[in-house]
Amino acid sequence: MITKTEKRIPLEELKDTINVFGHHDENLHLIEKDFNVNIVVRDDSLVVCGKKDYVEQAAMALAQLSELSALGNQVTPREVQYTIKLVKDGHGEKIRELATDVVIITFRGKLVKPKTHGQKRYVEAILNHDIAFGIGPAGTGKTYLAVAMAAKALKEKTINRLIITRPAVEAGEKLGFLPGDLQEKVNPYLRPLYDSLYDILGTDKTQKLLEKNIIEIAPLAYMRGRTLDDAFIILDEAQNTTPEQMKMFLTRLGFGSKAVITGDVTQVDLPKGQFSGLLEAQKTLLGIEGISFQYLGGEDVMRHQLVQRIITAYEKASKDKEH
């Protein structure tokens, strides 16, 4: 027979219950489901009922989320899921380490900060290395955080220019089949980069900086033959570079510059038989002083809950094939 217990948490101890509970109590429902407990409001307390160990874990998760809320963080289902994972792994108190790591405040007043410890390590790597690689699946914040760090450097005037580039290779599509001139052909590939800048700096400021050539967004081919001083350079979708293109890009780095290379090694869209420059860079450059490789995984995904499950399923299928 399973002995059940209950724990009462005074509502006054939970900072901003609307934020902690979530829309229509969705955050509480997630905690109930993951810890197999029941949570009800009784008088002036939140009562958690269930198996003792699970009740204690659920109470810890609620306490950590309350602390996040008190520090001005929006408590979304993603924060709840990550907190639950940390509590189950015995590291519940670590969630507070993420609460104050603000990278930049967007033009709308939104705080951009690492949401997981993997993202935190990635941001620190960008800060402390001249070249940082961020490798991981879609939705882990690789590009967005790199753009945020670049915007921060631009704002603090530690660099003079921001250059963001991508190889014009996507999912087997060929540029020749797209309408328009070269710039019009490559714009669809660069659109996610514009979107990140618009979200962080605002459309008007981004356009002004583009017009002044302080920000440049261009396909990778435009980087050839250049030396970039006092610049923050981001190479996105780097898994679709050839080894020659990767070497070309890395050797553009000039004095006072910083480069961030992002990519997903499971999503290579190069022609069959063509080796990825990102895969080669991992083998060739590992251990070189001044270069950092940071790997993000399913636990760092910031998109819909299903995206995390999909990525986990594909990772499992890939491992099964290897064995």
Side-chain angles (χ1 to χ4, degrees):
M1 182 177 177
I2 298 174
T3 303
K4 291 195 173 184
T5 186
E6 69 175 40
K7 187 178 183 72
R8 300 178 71 93
I9 304 169
L11 290 175
E12 63 184 22
E13 290 183 8
L14 298 173
K15 310 298 188 294
D16 189 355
T17 54
I18 293 174
N19 189 19
V20 175
F21 289 10
H23 185 60
H24 294 312
D25 293 343
E26 62 181 335
N27 295 344
L28 294 185
H29 296 326
L30 283 172
I31 292 171
E32 284 181 316
K33 182 179 177 182
D34 272 271
F35 292 114
N36 193 25
V37 296
N38 292 317
I39 302 175
V40 295
V41 176
R42 193 180 297 158
D43 299 326
D44 57 352
S45 298
L46 196 66
V47 182
V48 185
C49 307
K51 190 178 176 182
K52 184 178 179 181
D53 290 348
Y54 296 155
V55 165
E56 292 298 329
Q57 288 182 321
M60 172 171 258
L62 285 164
Q64 297 304 318
L65 292 172
S66 176
E67 193 165 330
L68 272 185
S69 180
L71 291 167
N73 294 268
Q74 183 66 28
V75 180
T76 68
R78 185 63 192 89
E79 273 73 40
V80 176
Q81 287 180 312
Y82 190 62
T83 300
I84 288 169
K85 181 183 182 303
L86 288 178
V87 169
K88 285 184 173 180
D89 291 343
H91 304 297
E93 73 287 347
K94 285 191 173 183
I95 193 70
R96 73 188 67 173
E97 295 174 7
L98 304 170
T100 55
D101 286 341
V102 178
V103 174
I104 195 170
I105 301 173
T106 73
F107 78 106
R108 286 195 180 97
K110 172 188 167 187
L111 304 181
V112 178
K113 58 176 69 176
K115 298 289 185 70
T116 69
H117 287 82
Q119 289 188 353
K120 178 180 170 72
R121 288 190 296 271
Y122 175 51
V123 166
E124 289 172 348
I126 294 173
L127 190 64
N128 297 319
H129 296 81
D130 289 337
I131 296 177
F133 285 80
I135 301 172
T140 50
K142 305 182 301 295
T143 304
Y144 191 82
L145 286 171
V147 171
M149 290 292 286
K152 175 184 172 74
L154 206 56
K155 184 179 179 181
E156 294 174 349
K157 297 186 178 352
T158 58
I159 54 155
N160 296 326
R161 298 182 65 199
L162 165 56
I163 299 165
I164 314 178
T165 185
R166 266 185 169 188
V169 178
E170 293 285 344
E173 300 288 343
K174 295 185 183 299
L175 289 176
F177 291 105
L178 296 174
D181 60 22
L182 181 58
Q183 192 60 47
E184 290 171 326
K185 288 175 187 290
V186 300
N187 271 344
Y189 300 101
L190 304 174
R191 176 54 52 193
L193 305 175
Y194 285 99
D195 290 342
S196 294
L197 284 167
Y198 292 157
D199 189 57
I200 293 168
L201 297 175
T203 305
D204 291 343
K205 185 168 185 180
T206 299
Q207 289 297 339
K208 286 177 183 176
L209 293 173
L210 285 164
E211 288 167 10
K212 292 178 181 179
N213 213 30
I214 293 173
I215 294 179
E216 179 182 350
I217 302 178
L220 183 57
Y222 285 29
M223 298 297 108
R224 194 173 296 278
R226 302 172 64 181
T227 300
L228 305 169
D229 294 328
D230 299 312
F232 196 117
I233 317 150
I234 299 171
L235 170 57
D236 194 37
E237 298 289 345
Q239 75 275 6
N240 289 329
T241 61
T242 64
E244 294 76 20
Q245 287 173 326
M246 178 63 78
K247 181 181 177 183
M248 179 274 291
F249 173 81
L250 292 171
T251 54
R252 299 308 93 202
L253 195 69
F255 292 106
S257 289
K258 186 182 289 286
V260 179
I261 300 95
T262 72
D264 177 0
V265 293
T266 69
Q267 296 288 328
V268 177
D269 297 314
L270 290 167
K272 193 173 182 180
Q274 179 66 265
F275 195 64
S276 168
L278 182 58
L279 287 167
E280 183 180 81
Q282 287 184 98
K283 297 177 181 178
T284 306
L285 303 177
L286 197 62
I288 292 181
E289 187 178 352
I291 299 178
S292 172
F293 284 87
Q294 295 297 317
Y295 296 91
L296 300 160
E299 67 276 10
D300 302 300
V301 171
M302 288 289 109
R303 293 182 183 169
H304 192 285
Q305 297 170 30
L306 273 178
V307 175
Q308 187 176 9
R309 294 175 198 155
I310 289 166
I311 288 168
T312 302
Y314 273 104
E315 286 176 348
K316 183 179 183 301
S318 179
K319 288 177 182 176
D320 289 345
K321 281 182 183 178
E322 291 174 4
H323 296 99

